[in-house]
Amino acid sequence: MKAKTIGQVAKSSGVSERTLRYYEELGILMPERTAAGYRVYREADERRLAQIMAMRRCGLPLTTIGHLVKNPAADIHAALVAHLRTLRAQGKSVEAATKRTLAALESLERIQGMKPQDAFEQLKREGLEGFEREYGQEARERYGDAAIEQANQRMMALTKDEWDAKELLEESIKVQLRLAMATGDPASAESNELARMHERWIAIHWGSGYEKEAYLGLVRGYLADPRFTAYYDDACGEGATEFLVKAVEAYQG
């Protein structure tokens, strides 16, 4: 195939000459130079440009693209599949956040005019009722009515500050889970911190007197029901729940 000038490549690809020069500055598209200093694009350069264009269209940042095209061992197909999983997880997260926001708006309408403490108690009751509707039957079958009732009583006994701290910890666990997943190691320092945070969160709901095996059984149970699995997978990406379980298992020894 005959080599092309920068103008010819710009015309055939639809990528401006300015962008082609920028890609060269970044080191992700490096055409040869003639003795006179003119750029010469060969077939391999055009194939790489096509790859760059495809990755840009799906939203990958140039820093990631640079890593992929500069690293001979990088698997571009695998990277795009992983990016697709992330996009799908983000879509589910947005959908879930939309539902939570709509529910919050409905709750706000119901508590208008209430005294602050009465409104807080109403919101707690609605939160527990929502859990009961979504997971109640399975939770009671797995852990027993007595355990669920005790957990509900603990929640209703929380002060507003304690409740807010619980909610903050719940969201912080998701952030820590993303950090731990980035290490790829369920036994990393980040994963150990994740396990400690999750243990504190469980203690708020179940108390601190549970046996180690009971705790591990509870966590492993997340993988037994798609709805429990979706809670962390939707927030942090596919495989998040499985990673959390492995992190807890590694930490508990």
Side-chain angles (χ1 to χ4, degrees):
M1 182 177 179
K2 184 179 178 181
K4 294 181 180 179
T5 65
I6 188 172
Q8 290 171 326
V9 171
K11 184 176 181 179
S12 63
S13 67
V15 177
S16 70
E17 292 186 24
R18 181 178 180 181
T19 298
L20 291 172
R21 294 190 186 95
Y22 181 55
Y23 288 166
E24 186 175 352
E25 290 176 13
L26 295 177
I28 62 176
L29 185 64
M30 304 296 292
E32 296 177 12
R33 295 277 187 147
T34 66
Y38 294 106
R39 295 173 178 83
V40 176
Y41 291 83
R42 304 197 181 278
E43 185 176 359
D45 298 315
E46 292 193 85
R47 281 199 301 270
R48 172 168 286 192
L49 177 59
Q51 290 176 334
I52 294 170
M53 292 169 64
M55 288 186 279
R56 287 294 286 159
R57 277 198 297 270
C58 73
L60 280 180
L62 282 172
T63 51
T64 301
I65 293 173
H67 170 74
L68 291 171
V69 299
K70 292 177 186 178
N71 182 2
D75 187 335
I76 294 177
H77 180 269
L80 290 177
V81 170
H83 182 61
L84 178 60
R85 286 199 298 265
T86 299
L87 292 175
R88 285 173 173 167
Q90 289 173 344
K92 290 179 181 177
S93 296
V94 170
E95 182 180 353
T98 300
K99 290 180 179 178
R100 289 195 299 269
T101 302
L102 290 172
L105 287 171
E106 293 173 358
S107 294
L108 286 174
E109 292 173 0
R110 283 193 290 271
I111 64 176
Q112 278 185 348
M114 288 186 180
K115 294 179 180 179
Q117 185 60 35
D118 292 339
F120 171 58
E121 294 299 322
Q122 175 65 22
L123 290 174
K124 282 198 295 186
R125 281 193 294 272
E126 290 184 2
L128 293 177
E129 289 168 0
F131 178 87
E132 191 71 33
R133 285 193 301 272
E134 186 72 18
Y135 306 110
Q137 181 178 345
E138 289 78 10
R140 290 176 182 277
E141 289 175 355
R142 182 178 295 274
Y143 308 115
D145 289 338
I148 299 302
E149 292 301 330
Q150 289 174 4
N152 288 345
Q153 290 171 11
R154 288 190 186 91
M155 292 300 98
M156 290 303 297
L158 293 178
T159 66
K160 187 176 187 308
D161 286 344
E162 290 170 336
W163 182 274
D164 289 344
K166 176 189 76 71
E167 296 287 287
L168 177 60
L169 177 58
E170 185 173 355
E171 293 307 310
S172 298
I173 287 171
K174 296 173 187 175
V175 174
Q176 187 64 29
L177 177 52
R178 296 188 192 100
L179 294 174
M181 289 175 68
T183 70
D185 180 7
S188 67
E190 291 81 0
S191 298
N192 286 341
E193 178 59 21
L194 168 67
R196 285 190 289 268
M197 292 169 68
H198 185 268
E199 191 173 28
R200 292 200 301 272
W201 188 74
I202 289 296
I204 293 173
H205 291 78
W206 297 89
S208 57
Y210 52 80
E211 298 290 334
K212 172 182 172 180
E213 287 306 316
Y215 172 48
L216 288 172
L218 183 151
V219 175
R220 289 166 180 153
Y222 291 168
L223 298 173
D225 188 319
R227 291 171 302 171
F228 283 94
T229 304
Y231 178 77
Y232 287 111
D233 279 20
D234 287 354
C236 304
E238 186 176 346
T241 307
E242 183 178 4
F243 189 94
L244 171 62
V245 172
K246 290 180 178 178
V248 170
E249 289 175 335
Y251 181 73
Q252 292 292 327

